[in-house]
Amino acid sequence: MPHHKPARTAVLVATTVPLTLAAATVALKAGHWRLYADRHRIELSPRPRPRCPECHGAYGCWVGGPFPKMEACGCWAHRREFRIRLLPLPRVPDEPPF
């Protein structure tokens, strides 16, 4: 009896992984999230909504009188950022450990 399980598993993984990544990309864009990943962390951070009536996707609005300042828009600033640490960050040799 021939063993076709490894071949089937390889085909299943080869088709499932790209579909999962594509679905995750669509979900992140629809929810206005930015994904960053490296060997030290995986990070999801909020992005401004392009159709926000206040900031129009520009991260904030100018407020104030003669000395205006930029304030972060609530469409992204009050949403939590998610971070998963994977590996510790390397210590710079010239700096003390604390």
Side-chain angles (χ1 to χ4, degrees):
M1 206 177 204
H3 295 283
H4 295 290
K5 261 192 178 178
R8 269 191 247 156
T9 303
V11 169
L12 182 62
V13 168
T15 57
T16 303
V17 170
L19 290 174
T20 303
L21 290 174
T25 302
V26 168
L28 288 171
K29 284 183 180 181
H32 304 287
W33 291 95
R34 182 183 68 89
L35 173 67
Y36 176 81
D38 63 14
R39 65 182 189 188
H40 301 289
R41 69 186 173 277
I42 299 171
E43 184 177 292
L44 283 173
S45 54
R47 292 182 17 196
R49 300 181 191 283
R51 293 190 180 112
C52 175
E54 292 181 29
C55 73
H56 305 286
Y59 287 92
C61 306
W62 290 100
V63 295
F67 304 106
K69 64 179 183 175
M70 179 73 98
E71 276 193 9
C73 185
C75 72
W76 70 274
H78 304 297
R79 292 169 48 195
R80 293 186 58 157
E81 183 176 278
F82 301 100
R83 206 178 276 163
I84 300 170
R85 289 188 62 182
L86 302 175
L87 293 173
L89 292 171
R91 188 174 75 82
V92 179
D94 295 341
E95 293 182 7
F98 301 108

